[in-house]
Amino acid sequence: MTDLRIRAATPDDLDTVLAFWKRAAEGTSISDDRDGVERLVARDPEALILAELDGELVGTVIAGFDGWRCHLYRLAVHPQRRRRGIGSALLTAAEERFVRLGGRRGDAMVLVRNKTAQHAWRAAGYAPEEKWRRWVKPLAAG
């Protein structure tokens, strides 16, 4: 995969990213809109990492670091491009970012029903922590 380009998203990429997530990402998020992704890129310009092949967006990951913890979201690879190392390249870029920032451990949000993603995360060295539960409270009407 020598032609794979990994780079941070820019504001010009956001509409393409949102359309890509509708095709390639499992599930939706309350932040999957232009305003949400725009805020992310404005606040942390290196957090949204893209993979491109021949100028086409083929993968994404959000590598968010809040100064305390390293969070991974929206690892998505184009369905017809999976199992070619794109997800691994994105995770490597995210993990390298975390190390540069002083992060010590990455965590990922993975849907319980998404068995394909669970296999991919496990293959990348991640494991579920059964002793934890995610607790959420919507802060805005959606």
Side-chain angles (χ1 to χ4, degrees):
M1 187 96 13
T2 58
D3 296 334
L4 188 67
R5 179 177 178 221
I6 304 292
R7 67 175 180 85
T10 68
D12 292 339
D13 296 312
L14 303 187
D15 291 329
T16 301
V17 167
L18 288 165
F20 177 79
W21 285 344
K22 286 182 181 174
R23 285 192 317 271
E26 179 74 24
T28 58
S29 167
I30 194 170
S31 302
D32 282 0
D33 59 25
R34 176 78 188 200
D35 289 341
V37 182
E38 210 166 58
R39 275 191 303 279
L40 169 69
V41 171
R43 183 184 176 280
D44 187 351
E46 295 181 357
L48 177 53
I49 303 170
L50 308 182
E52 296 175 324
L53 193 56
D54 298 324
E56 175 192 357
L57 180 61
V58 295
T60 66
V61 68
I62 297 173
F65 181 64
D66 60 14
W68 181 257
R69 302 201 191 248
C70 306
H71 302 287
L72 294 157
Y73 311 93
R74 281 297 186 222
L75 176 63
V77 175
H78 190 288
Q80 295 174 342
R81 305 278 190 162
R82 292 181 181 156
R83 303 194 53 79
R84 298 182 191 179
I86 295 168
S88 294
L90 285 163
L91 286 177
T92 296
E95 291 165 359
E96 288 172 354
R97 169 179 155 73
F98 291 151
V99 169
R100 278 193 316 273
L101 294 171
R104 298 182 194 165
R105 176 184 67 193
D107 68 57
M109 299 198 15
V110 183
L111 290 170
V112 172
R113 71 175 185 264
N114 192 340
K115 300 299 180 191
T116 301
Q118 290 177 31
H119 292 295
W121 283 103
R122 197 175 306 279
Y126 290 77
E129 282 194 339
E130 300 300 335
K131 63 185 175 190
W132 296 98
R133 287 276 182 235
R134 180 173 178 226
W135 292 44
V136 298
K137 176 184 176 183
L139 300 176

